Amino acid sequence: MTKQTNSALILIDIQNDFCPGGKLAVVDGDQVVAVANKLQVQFETTILTQDWHPADHKSFASNQSGEAFTLIEMPYGSQVLWPDHCIQGSQGAAFHKDLETDGADLVIRKGFRPEIDSYSAFFENDHETSTGLAGYLRERAVTNLMMAGLATDFCVRYSAVDAAKLGFEVTVVEDGCRAIDLDGSLDAAWEEMLSLGIKRIQSGDL
Ligand code: VGL
Ligand code: ZN
């Protein structure tokens, strides 16, 4: 198979804290690793994202008066409060040990500003502050994106939706993702992604 130069694989937040035993563990989060590694073989370009928070991050319940998994209002809109996770330089913020990372062209870190969370690989949660990823992809003439990782209903969803709105052709590999599923967020995620023309496939379809 010829690897297409106009396509890139984006693997979202496959980090210890989102895997079993982690600080914000997603059920079966580690199950995406094997799928992610298999997908990488098929792509010329792989990009990894890494949730990367300072300890005083405002999305942490410990830095606010609310409980984890409840909503608060931030200047940029409502924000779920999370347990402390993916603290810069911690073992929890490291990629899962079995994830292939040597072949990645780029690692995008996000969520490093204490005042604002960043689910998406493209924009922080104000939907305005850019990570620079869209420019990088355009400079490299990438038009088609495939995504997998954690979590389906937060960082994968936000990344896929922003990418589609920016005009990229987006495909999400469902079995390469696992969800947090907070108050119906998984169903809402697929509804929004499909309504924007994002394709849902299984890794076995490739
Ligand atoms: C994520 C919640 C908080 C994710 C990151 O990677 O989906 N979710 N930070
Ligand atoms: Zn986070």
Side-chain angles (χ1 to χ4, degrees), residues 13 18 24 51-53 57 59-60 82 85-86 110-111 117-119 155:
D13 298 1
F18 299 120
L24 178 41
D51 213 37
W52 196 251
H53 300 305
H57 199 261
S59 76
F60 294 170
W82 301 108
H85 65 278
C86 295
K110 59 187 183 59
D117 208 0
S118 186
Y119 296 150
C155 292

Side-chain angles (χ1 to χ4, degrees), residues 35 44 55 82 88 94 99 113 121 130 145 150-151 163 168 172 183 195:
V35 178
E44 180 80 29
W82 301 108
Q88 296 170 356
L99 180 70
R113 291 189 176 89
S130 174
L145 300 175
L150 303 169
F168 293 96
V172 174
D183 293 328
S195 77

Side-chain angles (χ1 to χ4, degrees), residues 18-20 25-33 150 177-179:
F18 299 120
C19 291
V26 178
V27 176
D28 289 337
D30 56 340
Q31 301 295 306
V32 309
V33 174
L150 303 169
C177 302
R178 291 294 186 279

Side-chain angles (χ1 to χ4, degrees), residues 87-135:
I87 292 181
Q88 296 170 356
S90 68
Q91 202 38 43
F95 292 115
H96 187 285
K97 68 172 176 25
D98 297 328
L99 180 70
E100 279 294 339
T101 59
D102 291 349
D105 289 5
L106 177 72
V107 177
I108 285 274
R109 288 177 168 165
K110 59 187 183 59
F112 48 75
R113 291 189 176 89
E115 308 298 324
I116 182 167
D117 208 0
S118 186
Y119 296 150
S120 164
F122 293 90
F123 295 105
E124 304 200 15
N125 285 10
D126 60 0
H127 304 291
E128 243 169 54
T129 310
S130 174
T131 64
L133 180 57

